Amino acid sequence: MSNRLDWVQTELQALKEAGLYNQIRTIGSPQGAWLIVDGKRVLNFCSNTYLGLANHPNLVAAAKKALDEMGAGPAAVRSIAGTTHLHVELEQRLAKFKGVEAAITFQSGFNANLATIPALVGKEDVIFSDRLNHASIIDGCRLSGAKIIAYDHCDAASLEAAIKDNLSHYRRAIIITDGVFSMDGDVAPLPEIYEVAHRYDILLMVDDAHGEGVLGKGGRGIVDHFGLHGKVDIEVGTLSKAFGVVGGVVAGNAVIVEWLRQRGRPFLFSSAVTPPDAAACIAALDLLESSTELVDRLWENARYFKAEMKNLGFDTGLSTTPITPIMLGEAPLAQQFSRALFEAGVFAMAIGYPTVPQGKARIRVMISAAHAKDDLDQGLQAFEKVGKQLGVI
Ligand SMILES: *Cc1c(COP(=O)(O)O)cnc(C)c1O
């Protein structure tokens, strides 16, 4: 018997002992306020369907129509035969929605970052990156081969200090930050970061995956939220969260979008999203453009839930958005908390290292416009019960 995979078994065992092993649950129903998870009906507190669009009848109908008219698969990468009229329409509509010159879509937000960063910077260049940026930004930065300099989280002064010390040693530079930080729910100080980018004439890129459909007027995102139209060169977004479907987008400067069509490797070397995906995203845009009702309800729900959790004595960290972390500390406690919630009919996953730093494990509750007030109240009761049972509150 060969031993060459023994190390994997050892590592897996270590994850289990540290409370960091992902027990992946299986969903047996469409996304909504309630789900069938591992055969049990539970309140959904962990999907990213901020606006309840993943199973919205308009999106489902649009996807069905596209399936009938255009088929199931793209059969090619975008740059060969995979660009249908639906992809073109989606990109035009996204650019209009975001109020930017142009937009290009990818198979995911993750791919949007992997496409964009290496297309803009390389070995002779430098990236100034918020210390808590998303994994897909970190991977995109590594892939580029550029020097990566992390600045303190959401700290424009730390960013400026890093720029002063380093900029002159490199050919080109880019500043990259998450818009809304996915594990803490705090928002990047984009106006201050823009001031720094402008002062040093450096490209500015923001990944607004959790701000798309959430922040700004009718969900137009972080740039709209701060009134920074025309000032952010690259706005990365996802169609997989609030939009309820799947895909990524880069919106902004037309020259950059044109460049990404030529040099974005996931665009050139990985097949397009399917016609039903693109059609469903267009239907999501129709809804977002027709009314702010869903976005308003999302925020109403989030404010209510967070205020009540604080009243119960829970620590919801730094969040100022519908992402609600319940800070618990050690990973095994977070896992135990999540299991007890599940027993009590609430699906809310524990998140530990390496997704968040060691000792900062948490339950992350994702509030949605799909939740009714009754749903939120049932969730609060379960949190109170489990919190008391485990001595957290
Ligand atoms: C979720 C997320 C992504 C990835 O988006 P997908 O469309 O799911 O690939 C990228 N960046 C950030 C900040 C995210 O939170």
Side-chain angles (χ1 to χ4, degrees), residues 48 107-113 133-137 177-183 207-210 236-241 245-249 323 364:
N48 295 322
Q107 304 87 348
S108 68
F110 203 111
N111 270 354
N113 280 323
N133 273 345
H134 188 261
S136 57
I137 296 178
T177 181
D178 270 26
V180 176
F181 288 82
S182 53
M183 293 300 142
D207 178 348
D208 202 26
H210 284 277
V236 173
T238 177
L239 306 169
S240 329
K241 287 174 178 147
V245 193
V246 71
V249 55
I323 295 171
R364 186 183 61 160

Side-chain angles (χ1 to χ4, degrees), residues 37-282:
V37 180
D38 292 340
K40 181 179 160 100
R41 184 171 182 272
V42 286
L43 180 61
N44 180 11
F45 265 177
C46 38
S47 298
N48 295 322
T49 171
Y50 285 110
L51 304 175
L53 297 184
N55 189 38
H56 190 286
N58 293 17
L59 273 71
V60 174
K64 279 184 181 157
K65 182 164 176 282
L67 190 57
D68 287 341
E69 293 176 2
M70 297 293 289
V77 301
R78 289 286 307 275
S79 53
I80 297 182
T83 296
T84 69
H85 67 89
L86 292 164
H87 296 89
V88 174
E89 183 184 345
L90 175 60
E91 287 169 349
Q92 289 169 349
R93 290 283 306 274
L94 280 166
K96 188 159 157 275
F97 177 70
K98 305 283 293 178
V100 295
E101 290 175 2
I104 174 172
T105 57
F106 296 90
Q107 304 87 348
S108 68
F110 203 111
N111 270 354
N113 280 323
L114 295 191
T116 305
I117 303 167
L120 295 175
V121 284
K123 283 194 182 65
E124 297 161 64
D125 306 322
V126 59
I127 300 167
F128 300 101
S129 175
D130 185 291
R131 206 172 283 291
L132 294 189
N133 273 345
H134 188 261
S136 57
I137 296 178
I138 294 171
D139 287 6
C141 291
R142 288 178 181 158
L143 208 50
S144 75
K147 172 73 179 172
I148 302 161
I149 297 177
Y151 61 89
D152 292 344
H153 177 55
C154 285
D155 186 341
S158 164
L159 165 65
E160 180 158 17
I163 291 172
K164 270 190 185 146
D165 287 349
N166 294 285
L167 188 62
S168 62
H169 308 313
Y170 299 93
R171 180 184 61 170
R172 286 199 290 268
I174 187 169
I175 298 167
I176 311 179
T177 181
D178 270 26
V180 176
F181 288 82
S182 53
M183 293 300 142
D184 292 290
D186 53 340
V187 179
L190 206 55
E192 295 167 33
I193 292 174
Y194 164 71
E195 286 306 324
V196 176
H198 185 62
R199 203 170 307 137
Y200 293 88
D201 197 23
I202 298 176
L203 276 179
L204 176 57
M205 166 168 162
V206 59
D207 178 348
D208 202 26
H210 284 277
E212 212 83 75
V214 176
L215 290 177
K217 182 174 172 290
R220 281 163 177 76
I222 191 169
V223 170
D224 186 82
H225 171 75
F226 283 120
L228 291 171
H229 292 283
K231 295 181 169 169
V232 175
D233 303 295
I234 304 128
E235 225 183 312
V236 173
T238 177
L239 306 169
S240 329
K241 287 174 178 147
F243 275 71
V245 193
V246 71
V249 55
V250 172
N253 186 295
V255 177
I256 290 175
V257 167
E258 186 183 357
W259 179 239
L260 293 177
R261 286 190 204 286
Q262 307 303 318
R263 282 291 179 270
R265 289 171 69 86
F267 187 87
L268 300 169
F269 296 107
S270 179
S271 294
V273 296
T274 71
D277 292 326
C281 289
I282 294 168

